[in-house]
């Protein structure tokens, strides 16, 4: 059974940091590219960052140099370290494969950046 469980979201002030975690089950994680996506109110879901099985990373321009994606194949977990957070980063954050699979959309974790 495929499953993802995201965690680590919360309320943070502008300029603050959060670290998101996502445990992925039911796929051959070590050979599967994975990504973090986000959906802000009234906007479409977008890909924020993704990481290949070998560890190569790619980022959306809006988060480059602020966010860092990483993975632990042994723990089937993908992380997103978010620094210098901005109001515009407020969204529900999801992890999934890249490209995404319908069956792997979880509940996400809410990130709210507010003073």
């Amino acid at each position: 059974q495929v499953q993802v469980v995201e965690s680590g979201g919360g309320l943070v002030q502008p300029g603050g940091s959060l670290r998101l975690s996502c445990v992925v089950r039911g796929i051959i994680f070590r050979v599967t590219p994975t990504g973090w996506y986000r959906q802000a109110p009234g906007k479409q879901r977008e890909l924020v960052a993704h990481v290949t099985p070998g560890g190569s990373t790619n980022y959306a321009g809006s988060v480059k140099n602020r966010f860092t994606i990483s993975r632990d194949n042994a723990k089937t977990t993908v992380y997103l370290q978010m620094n210098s957070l901005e109001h515009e980063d407020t969204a529900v954050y999801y992890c999934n494969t890249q490209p995404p699979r319908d069956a792997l959309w979880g509940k996400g974790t809410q990130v709210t950046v507010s003073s």
Side-chain angles (χ1 to χ4, degrees):
Q1 180 181 359
V2 295
Q3 184 185 34
V4 296
V5 180
E6 301 103 338
S7 62
L11 173 64
V12 63
Q13 292 186 342
S17 298
L18 284 173
R19 188 190 193 211
L20 307 183
S21 299
C22 174
V23 179
V24 184
R25 299 188 177 96
I27 65 171
I28 307 176
F29 182 84
R30 69 182 185 279
V31 300
T32 305
T34 55
W36 281 96
Y37 302 75
R38 69 184 180 187
Q39 186 166 20
K43 295 187 177 182
Q44 289 189 332
R45 188 151 43 196
E46 62 172 344
L47 176 64
V48 173
H50 76 269
V51 57
T52 68
S56 297
T57 58
N58 206 345
Y59 299 91
S62 59
V63 306
K64 204 169 186 179
N65 299 321
R66 299 190 297 122
F67 290 10
T68 302
I69 189 171
S70 61
R71 61 191 291 155
D72 185 331
N73 289 337
K75 296 181 179 179
T76 66
T77 300
V78 59
Y79 304 96
L80 187 68
Q81 177 67 43
M82 305 187 296
N83 299 328
S84 302
L85 283 161
E86 304 170 351
H87 290 290
E88 293 73 20
D89 296 317
T90 295
V92 179
Y93 285 71
Y94 305 86
C95 72
N96 204 317
T97 56
Q98 167 57 18
R101 305 181 190 182
D102 288 343
L104 277 178
W105 289 118
K107 296 180 179 180
T109 185
Q110 175 71 47
V111 171
T112 303
V113 184
S114 176
S115 52

